[in-house]
Amino acid sequence: MKQGIHPDYHTIKVVMTDGTTYETRSTWGAEGDSMTLEIDPKSHPAWTGGTRTVGEGGQVARFKKRFGSFSLNK
C-alpha cells in the first residue's frame, strides 16, 4: 500500500434522530467527532413504510386538467 495517499480512518460517534448513539470508523471529521443525523432509518419514510403525499398528480394529470376541454373534432 502506498504511504500518504489514503485518508485518515478513525473512530467517530454517530447520533441518531432519537438520541441513540453508536461508534463507528470513518474518514469523516476527526478522531472523536460526533455526527448528528437529521434523517435515519428510524425516521425516513422509505424504511418506516410511510407514504408520500402527491397533491396534483403527475405530468399527465396536469396536462389533462389544463387541456381536457379541448377536442380534435373538426
Coordinates of all heavy atoms in Angstrom, one line a residue:
M1 N 0.8 -1.2 0.0 CA 0.0 0.0 0.0 C 0.9 1.2 0.0 O 1.8 1.3 0.8 CB -0.9 0.0 1.3 CG -2.1 0.8 1.1 SD -3.4 0.4 2.4 CE -2.7 1.1 3.8
K2 N 0.6 2.2 -0.9 CA 1.4 3.4 -0.9 C 1.1 4.3 0.4 O 0.0 4.3 0.9 CB 1.0 4.3 -2.1 CG 1.5 3.8 -3.4 CD 1.2 4.8 -4.5 CE 1.8 4.3 -5.8 NZ 1.5 5.3 -6.9
Q3 N 2.1 4.9 0.8 CA 2.0 5.7 2.0 C 1.7 7.1 1.6 O 2.1 7.7 0.6 CB 3.4 5.8 2.8 CG 3.8 4.4 3.3 CD 2.8 3.9 4.3 OE1 2.4 4.6 5.2 NE2 2.6 2.6 4.2
G4 N 0.8 7.8 2.5 CA 0.5 9.2 2.3 C -0.6 9.5 1.3 O -0.9 10.7 1.1
I5 N -1.3 8.5 0.7 CA -2.3 8.8 -0.3 C -3.7 8.5 0.2 O -4.7 8.8 -0.4 CB -2.1 8.1 -1.6 CG1 -2.1 6.6 -1.5 CG2 -0.8 8.5 -2.3 CD1 -2.2 5.8 -2.8
H6 N -3.8 7.8 1.4 CA -5.1 7.3 1.9 C -5.6 8.3 3.0 O -4.8 8.8 3.8 CB -4.9 5.9 2.4 CG -4.5 4.9 1.4 ND1 -5.4 4.5 0.4 CD2 -3.3 4.3 1.2 CE1 -4.7 3.7 -0.4 NE2 -3.5 3.6 0.1
P7 N -6.9 8.5 3.1 CA -7.4 9.4 4.1 C -7.3 8.7 5.5 O -7.2 7.5 5.6 CB -8.9 9.6 3.7 CG -9.2 8.4 2.9 CD -7.9 8.0 2.2
D8 N -7.3 9.6 6.5 CA -7.2 9.1 7.9 C -8.5 8.4 8.2 O -9.6 8.9 8.1 CB -7.0 10.3 8.8 CG -6.9 9.9 10.3 OD1 -6.4 8.8 10.5 OD2 -7.4 10.7 11.1
Y9 N -8.4 7.2 8.7 CA -9.5 6.3 9.1 C -9.6 6.2 10.6 O -8.6 5.6 11.2 CB -9.4 5.0 8.4 CG -10.6 4.0 8.5 CD1 -11.8 4.4 7.9 CD2 -10.5 2.8 9.1 CE1 -12.8 3.6 7.9 CE2 -11.6 2.0 9.1 CZ -12.7 2.3 8.5 OH -13.8 1.5 8.5
H10 N -10.6 6.8 11.3 CA -10.6 6.9 12.7 C -12.0 6.6 13.3 O -13.0 6.4 12.5 CB -10.1 8.3 13.1 CG -10.9 9.4 12.3 ND1 -10.4 9.8 11.1 CD2 -12.0 10.0 12.5 CE1 -11.2 10.7 10.6 NE2 -12.2 10.8 11.5
T11 N -12.1 6.6 14.6 CA -13.4 6.4 15.3 C -14.2 7.7 15.5 O -13.6 8.7 15.9 CB -13.1 5.7 16.6 OG1 -12.4 4.6 16.4 CG2 -14.4 5.3 17.3
I12 N -15.5 7.6 15.1 CA -16.4 8.8 15.4 C -17.6 8.3 16.1 O -17.9 7.1 16.1 CB -16.8 9.5 14.1 CG1 -17.6 8.6 13.1 CG2 -15.6 10.1 13.4 CD1 -18.3 9.4 12.0
K13 N -18.4 9.2 16.6 CA -19.7 8.8 17.2 C -20.8 9.3 16.4 O -20.8 10.5 15.9 CB -19.8 9.5 18.6 CG -21.0 9.0 19.4 CD -21.4 9.8 20.7 CE -20.2 10.2 21.5 NZ -20.6 10.9 22.7
V14 N -21.8 8.5 16.1 CA -23.0 8.8 15.3 C -24.2 8.9 16.2 O -24.5 8.0 17.0 CB -23.3 7.8 14.2 CG1 -24.5 8.1 13.4 CG2 -22.1 7.6 13.3
V15 N -24.9 10.1 16.1 CA -26.1 10.3 17.0 C -27.3 10.3 16.1 O -27.4 11.0 15.2 CB -26.0 11.7 17.7 CG1 -27.2 11.9 18.6 CG2 -24.7 11.8 18.5
M16 N -28.2 9.3 16.4 CA -29.4 9.1 15.6 C -30.4 10.2 16.0 O -30.3 10.9 16.9 CB -30.0 7.7 15.8 CG -29.0 6.6 15.6 SD -28.6 6.3 13.9 CE -29.7 5.1 13.5
T17 N -31.6 10.2 15.2 CA -32.6 11.2 15.5 C -33.3 11.0 16.8 O -33.8 12.0 17.4 CB -33.6 11.2 14.3 OG1 -34.2 9.9 14.2 CG2 -33.1 11.6 13.0
D18 N -33.3 9.8 17.3 CA -34.0 9.5 18.6 C -33.0 9.7 19.8 O -33.4 9.4 20.9 CB -34.6 8.2 18.6 CG -33.6 7.0 18.5 OD1 -32.5 7.3 18.3 OD2 -34.1 5.9 18.7
G19 N -31.8 10.1 19.5 CA -30.8 10.3 20.6 C -29.9 9.1 20.8 O -28.9 9.3 21.6
T20 N -30.1 8.0 20.3 CA -29.2 6.8 20.5 C -27.9 7.1 19.8 O -27.9 7.8 18.7 CB -29.8 5.5 20.0 OG1 -30.1 5.6 18.6 CG2 -31.1 5.2 20.8
T21 N -26.8 6.6 20.3 CA -25.5 6.8 19.7 C -24.8 5.4 19.5 O -25.1 4.4 20.1 CB -24.6 7.7 20.6 OG1 -24.4 7.0 21.8 CG2 -25.2 9.0 20.8
Y22 N -23.9 5.4 18.5 CA -23.0 4.3 18.4 C -21.7 4.8 17.8 O -21.6 5.9 17.2 CB -23.6 3.2 17.5 CG -23.9 3.5 16.1 CD1 -22.9 3.2 15.1 CD2 -25.0 4.2 15.6 CE1 -23.1 3.6 13.8 CE2 -25.2 4.5 14.3 CZ -24.2 4.2 13.4 OH -24.4 4.5 12.1
E23 N -20.7 4.0 18.0 CA -19.4 4.4 17.5 C -19.1 3.5 16.2 O -19.4 2.4 16.1 CB -18.3 4.1 18.5 CG -18.3 5.1 19.6 CD -17.0 5.0 20.5 OE1 -16.1 4.2 20.2 OE2 -17.0 5.8 21.5
T24 N -18.4 4.2 15.2 CA -18.1 3.5 14.0 C -16.8 4.1 13.5 O -16.3 5.2 14.0 CB -19.2 3.6 12.9 OG1 -18.8 2.8 11.8 CG2 -19.4 5.1 12.5
R25 N -16.2 3.5 12.5 CA -15.0 4.1 12.0 C -15.3 4.7 10.6 O -16.1 4.2 9.9 CB -13.9 3.0 11.8 CG -13.4 2.4 13.1 CD -12.4 1.4 13.0 NE -11.2 1.7 12.2 CZ -10.2 2.3 12.6 NH1 -10.1 2.7 13.9 NH2 -9.1 2.6 11.8
S26 N -14.7 5.9 10.4 CA -15.0 6.7 9.2 C -13.8 7.6 8.8 O -12.9 7.8 9.6 CB -16.2 7.5 9.5 OG -16.5 8.4 8.4
T27 N -13.9 8.1 7.6 CA -13.0 9.1 7.2 C -13.5 10.5 7.4 O -12.9 11.5 7.1 CB -12.6 8.9 5.7 OG1 -13.8 9.0 4.9 CG2 -11.9 7.6 5.4
W28 N -14.8 10.6 7.8 CA -15.4 11.9 8.1 C -14.9 12.5 9.3 O -14.7 11.9 10.4 CB -17.0 11.7 8.2 CG -17.7 12.9 8.5 CD1 -18.2 13.8 7.6 CD2 -18.1 13.4 9.8 NE1 -18.8 14.8 8.2 CE2 -18.8 14.6 9.6 CE3 -17.9 13.0 11.1 CZ2 -19.3 15.4 10.6 CZ3 -18.4 13.8 12.1 CH2 -19.1 14.9 11.9
G29 N -14.7 13.8 9.3 CA -14.3 14.6 10.5 C -12.9 14.2 11.1 O -12.0 13.8 10.3
A30 N -12.8 14.3 12.4 CA -11.6 14.0 13.1 C -11.8 12.9 14.2 O -13.0 12.7 14.5 CB -10.9 15.2 13.7
E31 N -10.8 12.4 14.7 CA -11.0 11.4 15.8 C -11.8 11.9 16.9 O -11.6 13.0 17.4 CB -9.6 11.0 16.3 CG -9.6 10.0 17.5 CD -9.8 8.6 17.0 OE1 -9.4 8.3 15.8 OE2 -10.4 7.8 17.7
G32 N -12.9 11.2 17.3 CA -13.7 11.6 18.4 C -14.9 12.5 18.1 O -15.7 12.9 19.0
D33 N -15.0 13.0 16.8 CA -16.1 13.9 16.5 C -17.4 13.2 16.5 O -17.5 12.0 16.5 CB -15.9 14.4 15.0 CG -14.9 15.5 15.0 OD1 -14.4 16.0 16.0 OD2 -14.6 16.0 13.8
S34 N -18.5 14.0 16.6 CA -19.9 13.4 16.6 C -20.6 13.8 15.4 O -20.7 15.0 15.1 CB -20.7 13.9 17.9 OG -20.1 13.3 19.0
M35 N -21.2 12.9 14.7 CA -22.0 13.2 13.5 C -23.5 13.0 13.9 O -23.9 12.0 14.4 CB -21.7 12.2 12.4 CG -22.6 12.4 11.2 SD -22.4 11.0 9.9 CE -20.8 11.4 9.3
T36 N -24.3 14.1 13.8 CA -25.7 14.1 14.2 C -26.5 14.0 12.9 O -26.4 14.8 12.0 CB -26.0 15.4 14.9 OG1 -25.2 15.6 16.1 CG2 -27.5 15.4 15.4
L37 N -27.3 12.9 12.8 CA -28.1 12.7 11.7 C -29.4 13.4 11.7 O -30.0 13.5 12.8 CB -28.4 11.2 11.5 CG -27.1 10.3 11.4 CD1 -27.6 8.8 11.3 CD2 -26.3 10.7 10.2
E38 N -29.9 13.9 10.6 CA -31.2 14.6 10.5 C -32.2 13.6 10.1 O -33.4 13.6 10.4 CB -31.2 15.7 9.5 CG -30.3 16.9 10.0 CD -30.2 18.0 9.0 OE1 -30.9 17.9 8.0 OE2 -29.4 18.9 9.2
I39 N -31.8 12.6 9.2 CA -32.7 11.6 8.7 C -31.9 10.2 8.9 O -30.8 10.1 8.5 CB -33.1 11.8 7.2 CG1 -33.8 13.1 7.1 CG2 -33.8 10.6 6.7 CD1 -34.1 13.4 5.6
D40 N -32.6 9.2 9.4 CA -32.0 7.9 9.6 C -33.1 6.9 9.3 O -34.2 7.2 9.1 CB -31.3 7.8 10.9 CG -32.3 7.9 12.1 OD1 -33.5 7.7 11.9 OD2 -31.8 8.0 13.2
P41 N -32.7 5.6 9.3 CA -33.7 4.5 9.0 C -34.9 4.5 10.0 O -35.9 4.0 9.7 CB -32.9 3.3 9.2 CG -31.5 3.7 8.8 CD -31.4 5.1 9.4
K42 N -34.8 5.1 11.2 CA -35.9 5.1 12.1 C -36.9 6.2 11.8 O -38.0 6.1 12.3 CB -35.4 5.3 13.5 CG -34.5 4.1 14.0 CD -34.0 4.3 15.4 CE -33.0 3.2 15.8 NZ -32.5 3.4 17.1
S43 N -36.5 7.2 11.0 CA -37.4 8.3 10.8 C -37.8 8.5 9.3 O -38.7 9.3 9.0 CB -36.9 9.6 11.3 OG -35.7 9.9 10.6
H44 N -37.0 7.9 8.4 CA -37.3 8.1 6.9 C -38.4 7.2 6.4 O -38.4 6.0 6.7 CB -36.0 7.8 6.2 CG -36.0 8.3 4.8 ND1 -36.6 7.7 3.7 CD2 -35.5 9.5 4.3 CE1 -36.5 8.4 2.6 NE2 -35.8 9.5 2.9
P45 N -39.3 7.8 5.6 CA -40.5 7.0 5.1 C -40.1 5.8 4.3 O -40.8 4.8 4.3 CB -41.2 8.0 4.2 CG -40.7 9.3 4.6 CD -39.4 9.2 5.2
A46 N -38.9 5.8 3.7 CA -38.5 4.6 2.9 C -38.3 3.4 3.7 O -38.6 2.3 3.3 CB -37.2 4.9 2.1
W47 N -37.9 3.5 5.0 CA -37.7 2.4 5.9 C -38.9 2.2 6.9 O -39.1 1.1 7.4 CB -36.4 2.6 6.7 CG -35.2 2.4 5.9 CD1 -34.7 1.3 5.4 CD2 -34.4 3.5 5.4 NE1 -33.6 1.5 4.6 CE2 -33.3 2.9 4.6 CE3 -34.3 4.8 5.5 CZ2 -32.3 3.6 4.0 CZ3 -33.3 5.6 5.0 CH2 -32.3 4.9 4.2
T48 N -39.7 3.2 7.1 CA -40.7 3.1 8.1 C -42.1 2.7 7.5 O -43.0 2.4 8.2 CB -41.0 4.4 8.9 OG1 -41.3 5.5 7.9 CG2 -39.7 4.8 9.6
G49 N -42.1 2.7 6.1 CA -43.4 2.3 5.5 C -44.3 3.4 5.2 O -45.4 3.2 4.8
G50 N -43.9 4.6 5.5 CA -44.8 5.8 5.3 C -44.9 6.1 3.8 O -44.3 5.5 2.9
T51 N -45.8 6.9 3.4 CA -46.1 7.3 2.0 C -45.9 8.8 1.8 O -46.0 9.6 2.7 CB -47.5 6.9 1.6 OG1 -48.4 7.6 2.5 CG2 -47.7 5.4 1.7
R52 N -45.6 9.1 0.6 CA -45.5 10.5 0.2 C -46.9 11.0 -0.3 O -47.6 10.2 -1.0 CB -44.5 10.6 -1.0 CG -43.2 11.1 -0.5 CD -42.2 11.3 -1.7 NE -42.8 11.7 -3.0 CZ -42.1 11.8 -4.1 NH1 -40.8 11.6 -4.0 NH2 -42.7 12.1 -5.2
T53 N -47.2 12.2 0.0 CA -48.5 12.7 -0.4 C -48.3 13.4 -1.8 O -47.4 14.3 -1.9 CB -49.0 13.7 0.6 OG1 -49.1 13.1 1.9 CG2 -50.4 14.3 0.2
V54 N -49.0 13.1 -2.8 CA -48.9 13.7 -4.1 C -50.1 14.6 -4.2 O -51.3 14.1 -4.2 CB -48.9 12.6 -5.2 CG1 -48.8 13.3 -6.5 CG2 -47.7 11.7 -5.0
G55 N -49.9 15.9 -4.3 CA -51.0 16.8 -4.3 C -51.7 16.9 -5.7 O -52.9 16.7 -5.7
E56 N -51.1 17.2 -6.7 CA -51.7 17.5 -8.0 C -51.6 16.3 -9.0 O -52.1 16.4 -10.1 CB -51.1 18.7 -8.6 CG -51.4 20.0 -7.9 CD -52.9 20.4 -7.9 OE1 -53.5 20.3 -9.0 OE2 -53.4 20.7 -6.9
G57 N -50.9 15.3 -8.7 CA -50.7 14.2 -9.6 C -49.5 14.5 -10.5 O -48.7 15.3 -10.2
G58 N -49.3 13.7 -11.5 CA -48.2 13.8 -12.4 C -48.3 14.7 -13.5 O -49.3 15.5 -13.6
Q59 N -47.4 14.6 -14.5 CA -47.5 15.5 -15.7 C -48.7 15.2 -16.5 O -49.3 16.2 -17.0 CB -46.2 15.2 -16.5 CG -44.9 15.5 -15.9 CD -44.6 17.0 -16.0 OE1 -45.2 17.7 -16.8 NE2 -43.8 17.5 -15.2
V60 N -49.1 14.0 -16.7 CA -50.3 13.7 -17.5 C -51.6 14.2 -16.8 O -52.4 14.8 -17.5 CB -50.4 12.1 -17.7 CG1 -51.7 11.8 -18.4 CG2 -49.2 11.6 -18.5
A61 N -51.7 14.1 -15.5 CA -52.9 14.6 -14.8 C -52.9 16.1 -15.0 O -54.0 16.7 -15.2 CB -52.8 14.2 -13.4
R62 N -51.8 16.8 -14.9 CA -51.8 18.3 -15.0 C -52.2 18.7 -16.5 O -52.9 19.6 -16.7 CB -50.5 18.9 -14.6 CG -50.4 19.0 -13.1 CD -49.1 19.7 -12.7 NE -48.0 18.8 -12.7 CZ -46.8 19.1 -12.9 NH1 -46.4 20.3 -13.0 NH2 -45.8 18.2 -12.9
F63 N -51.7 17.9 -17.4 CA -52.0 18.2 -18.8 C -53.5 18.0 -19.1 O -54.1 18.9 -19.7 CB -51.2 17.3 -19.8 CG -51.4 17.5 -21.2 CD1 -50.8 18.5 -21.9 CD2 -52.4 16.7 -21.9 CE1 -51.0 18.7 -23.2 CE2 -52.6 16.9 -23.2 CZ -51.9 17.9 -23.9
K64 N -54.1 16.9 -18.6 CA -55.5 16.7 -18.8 C -56.3 17.8 -18.1 O -57.4 18.2 -18.6 CB -55.9 15.3 -18.3 CG -55.4 14.2 -19.2 CD -55.8 12.8 -18.7 CE -55.3 11.7 -19.6 NZ -55.7 10.4 -19.0
K65 N -55.9 18.2 -16.9 CA -56.6 19.2 -16.2 C -56.6 20.5 -17.0 O -57.6 21.3 -17.1 CB -56.0 19.4 -14.8 CG -56.7 20.5 -14.0 CD -56.0 20.6 -12.6 CE -56.5 21.7 -11.8 NZ -55.8 21.9 -10.6
R66 N -55.5 20.8 -17.6 CA -55.3 22.1 -18.3 C -56.0 22.1 -19.7 O -56.5 23.1 -20.1 CB -53.8 22.3 -18.5 CG -53.3 23.7 -18.6 CD -51.9 23.7 -18.4 NE -51.4 25.1 -18.6 CZ -50.1 25.4 -18.7 NH1 -49.2 24.5 -18.7 NH2 -49.8 26.7 -18.9
F67 N -55.8 21.0 -20.4 CA -56.3 21.0 -21.8 C -57.4 19.9 -22.1 O -57.7 19.6 -23.2 CB -55.1 20.7 -22.8 CG -54.0 21.7 -22.7 CD1 -52.8 21.4 -22.0 CD2 -54.2 22.9 -23.2 CE1 -51.8 22.3 -21.9 CE2 -53.2 23.9 -23.1 CZ -52.0 23.6 -22.5
G68 N -58.0 19.4 -21.0 CA -59.0 18.4 -21.2 C -60.3 18.9 -21.9 O -61.0 18.1 -22.5
S69 N -60.6 20.2 -21.9 CA -61.8 20.7 -22.5 C -61.6 20.8 -24.0 O -62.6 21.0 -24.7 CB -62.2 22.0 -21.9 OG -61.2 23.0 -22.1
F70 N -60.4 20.8 -24.5 CA -60.2 20.9 -26.0 C -60.4 19.6 -26.7 O -60.2 18.5 -26.1 CB -58.7 21.4 -26.3 CG -58.4 22.8 -25.8 CD1 -57.6 23.0 -24.7 CD2 -59.0 23.8 -26.5 CE1 -57.3 24.2 -24.3 CE2 -58.7 25.1 -26.0 CZ -57.9 25.3 -25.0
S71 N -61.0 19.7 -27.9 CA -61.2 18.4 -28.6 C -60.6 18.6 -30.0 O -60.4 19.7 -30.5 CB -62.7 18.1 -28.7 OG -63.3 19.0 -29.5
L72 N -60.3 17.5 -30.7 CA -59.7 17.5 -32.0 C -60.8 17.3 -33.1 O -60.4 17.1 -34.2 CB -58.6 16.4 -32.1 CG -57.5 16.5 -31.2 CD1 -56.6 15.3 -31.3 CD2 -56.7 17.8 -31.5
N73 N -62.0 17.3 -32.8 CA -63.1 17.1 -33.7 C -63.1 18.3 -34.7 O -63.0 19.5 -34.3 CB -64.5 17.0 -33.1 CG -64.5 15.7 -32.2 OD1 -63.7 14.8 -32.5 ND2 -65.4 15.7 -31.2
K74 N -63.3 18.1 -36.0 CA -63.4 19.1 -37.0 C -64.8 19.5 -37.4 O -65.7 18.8 -37.4 CB -62.6 18.7 -38.2 CG -61.1 18.6 -37.9 CD -60.4 18.2 -39.2 CE -58.9 18.1 -38.9 NZ -58.1 17.8 -40.0

